[in-house]
């Protein structure tokens, strides 16, 4: 199968998937805020709203320009990442969000994929960001966005989440008489 053809289908899938997930995230955000959630890391949040759409668009454009065939291994990795993505979302339930929201009285989730990885959602996203473009011959996009995503996650997002969780844990222990 031609990579240029699959690039369009992959782009359409990603757009629909991400838009549906944003609806879930918005609903979960409303619920969390109604339950007193405090948000952390607001300043870096827009960076992800630039990263993901441009990654999707460049995967489409570079993939459409590709003269090769689909890389079946990369496509298989992308497809295998999807159940993992939904396992994370299902495990987190109402706590799953695209923002860092700490709900008072909430407990850290340690079941499901969190038994194996501390941040499984980010592992899945990293796999997607590399495999989707590679599936359609967009190796430049795969390389650039894998590095950008790693820099944002490791340098900004994960440390912000860890600080938020540590601050929440500390506030809970100081409240106990």
């Amino acid at each position: 199968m031609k990579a240029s053809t699959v690039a369009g289908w992959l782009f359409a899938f990603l757009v629909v998937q991400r838009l549906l997930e944003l609806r879930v995230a918005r609903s979960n955000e409303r619920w969390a805020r109604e339950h007193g959630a405090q948000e952390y890391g607001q300043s870096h949040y827009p960076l992800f709203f630039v990263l993901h759409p441009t990654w999707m668009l460049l995967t489409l454009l570079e993939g459409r320009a590709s003269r090769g065939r689909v890389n079946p291994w990369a496509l298989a990795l992308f497809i295998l990442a999807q159940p993992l993505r939904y396992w994370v979302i299902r495990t987190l339930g109402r706590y799953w969000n695209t923002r860092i929201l700490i709900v008072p009285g909430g407990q850290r989730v340690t079941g499901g994929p969190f038994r194996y990885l501390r941040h499984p959602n980010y592992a899945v996203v990293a796999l997607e960001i590399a495999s989707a473009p590679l599936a359609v011959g967009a190796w430049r996009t795969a390389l650039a966005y894998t590095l950008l995503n790693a820099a944002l996650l490791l340098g900004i997002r994960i440390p912000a989440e860890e600080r938020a969780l540590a601050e929440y844990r500390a506030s809970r222990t100081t409240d106990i008489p």
Side-chain angles (χ1 to χ4, degrees):
M1 189 174 298
K2 291 172 72 174
S4 59
T5 303
V6 173
W9 287 105
L10 186 59
F11 178 76
F13 171 80
L14 286 167
V15 167
V16 169
Q17 178 189 56
R18 295 310 203 256
L19 288 174
L20 290 172
E21 288 175 2
L22 280 175
R23 278 186 65 190
V24 172
R26 296 279 190 255
S27 174
N28 290 347
E29 179 183 352
R30 277 190 303 277
W31 173 86
R33 290 190 190 281
E34 288 168 3
H35 288 84
Q38 182 176 352
E39 184 173 358
Y40 296 83
Q42 300 96 320
S43 63
H44 75 260
Y45 188 71
L47 297 173
F48 288 95
F49 264 80
V50 171
L51 180 85
H52 285 265
T54 59
W55 161 73
M56 291 164 34
L57 183 60
L58 289 174
T59 296
L60 171 68
L61 295 175
E62 189 179 353
R64 293 285 253 198
S66 174
R67 303 217 186 282
R69 302 192 57 73
V70 168
N71 178 327
W73 296 108
L75 185 60
L77 279 175
F78 177 79
I79 291 168
L80 288 172
Q82 301 318 299
L84 297 174
R85 169 186 216 77
Y86 294 110
W87 188 22
V88 170
I89 292 170
R90 184 170 169 79
T91 300
L92 286 172
R94 284 270 196 201
Y95 294 99
W96 180 79
N97 211 299
T98 57
R99 297 182 176 273
I100 302 172
L101 297 169
I102 304 293
V103 179
Q107 296 293 318
R108 185 171 190 139
V109 175
T110 57
F114 293 87
R115 284 183 296 218
Y116 310 106
L117 290 173
R118 193 163 172 94
H119 299 280
N121 190 60
Y122 299 141
V124 170
V125 170
L127 182 60
E128 288 177 323
I129 284 178
S131 64
L134 289 174
V136 295
W139 66 269
R140 289 174 191 88
T141 300
L143 178 62
Y145 280 80
T146 295
L147 293 174
L148 285 170
N149 184 56
L152 284 174
L153 288 178
L154 298 174
I156 300 172
R157 180 66 177 216
I158 291 174
E161 274 191 24
E162 293 298 328
R163 280 191 305 275
L165 289 169
E167 186 179 309
Y168 176 67
R169 278 192 304 270
S171 73
R172 289 186 64 201
T173 57
T174 59
D175 291 343
I176 299 171

